[in-house]
Amino acid sequence: MSHVPLATRRAAMLAMTAGATVALMGQWPSARSQAPIRANDDWFRLGIASGTPTDSSVVLWTRLAPADTTQLHRALMGAEPAIPVQWELADDEWFTNNRRQGTAFASPDLGYSVHVNLTALAPDRWYFYRFRVGDLTSAVGRTRTLPAPGAAMGGCRIGVASCQNADQGHWAAWHHMQNEQLDAVVFLGDYIYEYPMLGRFGHARSLGWAYHLDSYRERYAIYKAHPALQAMHAQVPWLLTWDDHELHNDYAGIHAGLSGPPGVDFALRRAHAYQAYYENMPLPLASLTRGLQGLASGADLRHYRRITVGNLFNLFLLDGRQYKDAPPCTLTERRGKSRVEPSQCAAWNQAQRSMLGLQQEQWLAQQLGVAAKEGSANSSRPVWNLLAQGTLFGKRDNQVGEGERYFYEGWDGYDGARTRLLQALAQSRVSNPVMLGGDVHEHWAGYLKADYQRPNSATLGLEFTTTSISSRGNSQADNAGLLDENPHFVHNTPDRRGYTVLHLSPTRLSADLKALDDVTRPDANIYSAAKFRVQAGQKVLEVG
Ligand code: FE
Ligand code: CA
């Protein structure tokens, strides 16, 4: 992308104003007359965000958090059910060159969230946006559209992150990511954790389980209040998928996880969690598909999509939770941190078990074929094909030496589905596949193999699974010998929190696996745990 470097002043302003109410910098157009709102009641304290960009559209997001909704409702609206929120889009952060403006409605039915799906925008452009209610103005956000498919691009920088357990560390990672000159963030899941919360590391207070709409909304409000997270949302658009903790640990599709709050109906809880997720993310309204097929079918919120970025890459954003079949042998094999010995689990090799659900599997195979065909027909095809999903993809035998032991609910418990995905990749002959994952709270880098049991089988692509922003991982000792046991992986950092920066160009991809020196400190330093380069067409990880 033609990268617009941030002026120092602009970066400072974004960092300073994110999450705070700022004075107006330009004239607001035709504000509806409204009752005055107390200036000390910051309705925008949950921040602003943008996301799901295409070459012609982007979603702007905020969620109002009035201190006293009832009173202000009456004051503002009388009998009207929703609060009008003005939004504005401009070419510059001073809003002197106004491009677009309008009014959206924040409804209590959707947690006072605002989702503005802007369409018919110019491709490959940076924009600035802000919101206003009454006399209150939000921080200024920056977002961008993608280059048109096939458009020539020099390069693009993507931040990849997952797993921000607010109870397990400070979020210095978000602070450092603001300096990475990114074009977008890809977030791979565990945006919140539903567990009872202790309220450590500066995050508000203790709470019980998140298990119904109000408690999920409250959990998001606590997470969203963090200034560094808000600043990262305000700086670039995000592309999102989810994992289990947006609802419940280790849930799969319509199947509840092992232990949770007692007496809660899982189907209802799932519907509430999905609604709260939508309310808090910069997703288009069209992604909320509840009611089309009913709760029991498992189709509530459509995440999976293909995004094409100029001549540089396709991003296949995948959903590995919503349509997932129940994992094998969860109740009989719980020794050793949820790890299963295949020999002790009759259901282990049932190939029909799906991680993505059959519909998404078929969609992915079909889209990979389309992408490959476009590639062969067009010299300006996207060079790279990124597959972004929740968790570690390659086989990971946790039992060093004799015997095997696997996490039951990762891809190792869904080997038939993993094989189908690898076959779809191989058959499509799509160029330069790169798998991205999260969930395991460790950095891993390695190779996609046609058959993980045979180290000499064809190498189909690369894998980078990113560590967590703050969620706890393993120690070096825990993972001793795992790289030798699983030779398709070439790197593992188990004991550091951080994120990954991908820099893509038409000829090269580089991955910088970033790590914090101490997640228990808000002012932790960041360093590169490892750096890899890949030449287009090579499928070889070079260090450096
Ligand atoms: Fe996690
Ligand atoms: Ca072994």
Side-chain angles (χ1 to χ4, degrees), residues 163 190 193 245 439 441:
C163 296
D190 291 358
Y193 282 76
H245 289 287
D439 173 50
H441 310 169

Side-chain angles (χ1 to χ4, degrees), residues 219-386:
R219 192 62 51 104
Y220 281 105
I222 286 172
Y223 275 60
K224 288 272 185 187
H226 197 285
L229 176 63
Q230 288 191 2
M232 203 60 237
H233 273 299
Q235 198 185 59
V236 294
W238 286 36
L239 289 152
L240 295 129
T241 187
W242 54 18
D243 199 29
D244 50 344
H245 289 287
E246 284 87 352
L247 167 47
H248 182 69
N249 182 41
D250 288 359
Y251 90 92
I254 55 172
H255 309 283
L258 286 177
S259 61
V264 177
D265 177 76
F266 183 72
L268 189 62
R269 188 179 178 210
R270 188 181 120 135
H272 283 197
Y274 283 15
Q275 179 175 333
Y277 180 85
Y278 169 76
E279 289 174 359
N280 284 281
M281 297 298 156
L283 299 171
L285 180 62
S287 54
L288 199 60
T289 56
R290 171 163 327 125
L292 293 183
Q293 295 178 54
L295 275 181
S297 73
D300 273 359
L301 196 147
R302 168 83 181 241
H303 260 305
Y304 64 88
R305 63 186 77 229
R306 170 184 166 208
I307 296 110
T308 301
V309 182
N311 66 345
L312 211 47
F313 67 94
N314 288 302
L315 176 71
F316 300 88
L317 201 57
L318 304 177
D319 181 345
R321 279 290 160 191
Q322 187 171 187
Y323 318 101
K324 186 177 180 178
D325 287 330
C329 307
T330 55
L331 296 172
T332 55
E333 296 282 344
R334 293 185 59 192
R335 307 178 274 154
K337 294 185 181 174
S338 323
R339 292 172 202 183
V340 173
E341 293 172 43
S343 61
Q344 306 287 305
C345 173
W348 189 257
N349 290 318
Q350 285 172 355
Q352 72 271 27
R353 192 165 47 245
S354 181
M355 181 74 96
L356 303 176
L358 287 183
Q359 203 175 330
Q360 188 180 189
E361 281 189 20
Q362 286 163 6
W363 170 87
L364 178 61
Q366 185 256 343
Q367 286 294 312
L368 287 169
V370 169
K373 199 178 281 179
E374 286 171 1
S376 60
N378 184 350
S379 61
S380 60
R381 71 195 161 82
V383 175
W384 306 93
N385 284 283
L386 311 181

Side-chain angles (χ1 to χ4, degrees), residues 51-201:
T52 326
T54 70
D55 62 329
S56 64
S57 71
V58 72
V59 176
L60 308 181
W61 172 92
T62 191
R63 180 182 156 208
L64 303 181
D68 180 349
T69 52
T70 320
Q71 188 189 3
L72 282 161
H73 234 265
R74 269 193 229 111
L76 279 170
M77 299 311 312
E80 278 190 55
I83 297 173
V85 179
Q86 273 114 30
W87 55 266
E88 189 181 10
L89 187 80
D91 290 335
D92 64 298
E93 73 252 47
W94 302 280
F95 293 83
T96 50
N97 198 358
N98 184 293
R99 284 280 163 192
R100 209 75 82 76
Q101 68 220 25
T103 301
F105 289 89
S107 153
D109 297 342
L110 286 173
Y112 296 98
S113 61
V114 174
H115 299 77
V116 181
N117 192 7
L118 290 174
T119 57
L121 297 172
D124 200 12
R125 284 268 276 277
W126 288 98
Y127 292 101
F128 294 84
Y129 63 95
R130 61 186 175 185
F131 298 94
R132 183 173 127 159
V133 174
D135 300 331
L136 299 178
T137 305
S138 75
V140 174
R142 191 185 66 149
T143 191
R144 65 165 306 150
T145 51
L146 304 178
M153 292 172 63
C156 179
R157 290 173 63 84
I158 306 288
V160 186
S162 69
C163 296
Q164 48 177 355
N165 191 323
D167 251 358
Q168 295 183 352
H170 281 287
W171 287 355
W174 290 129
H175 174 74
H176 288 293
M177 199 193 271
Q178 292 167 52
N179 300 320
E180 300 282 5
Q181 299 284 310
L182 300 178
D183 291 290
V185 167
V186 174
F187 192 84
L188 299 177
D190 291 358
Y191 192 98
I192 57 162
Y193 282 76
E194 82 289 8
Y195 297 126
M197 214 179 141
L198 300 171
R200 305 168 66 198
F201 302 107

Side-chain angles (χ1 to χ4, degrees), residues 390-425:
T391 190
L392 186 80
F393 186 78
K395 178 175 81 79
R396 185 177 59 177
D397 178 2
N398 295 287
Q399 178 85 38
V400 176
E402 270 309 286
E404 297 170 282
R405 190 169 277 232
Y406 299 102
F407 282 110
Y408 68 87
E409 72 112 33
W411 283 99
D412 284 321
Y414 295 74
D415 187 57
R418 178 167 56 196
T419 300
R420 288 194 292 278
L421 197 160
L422 289 163
Q423 284 170 348
L425 267 185

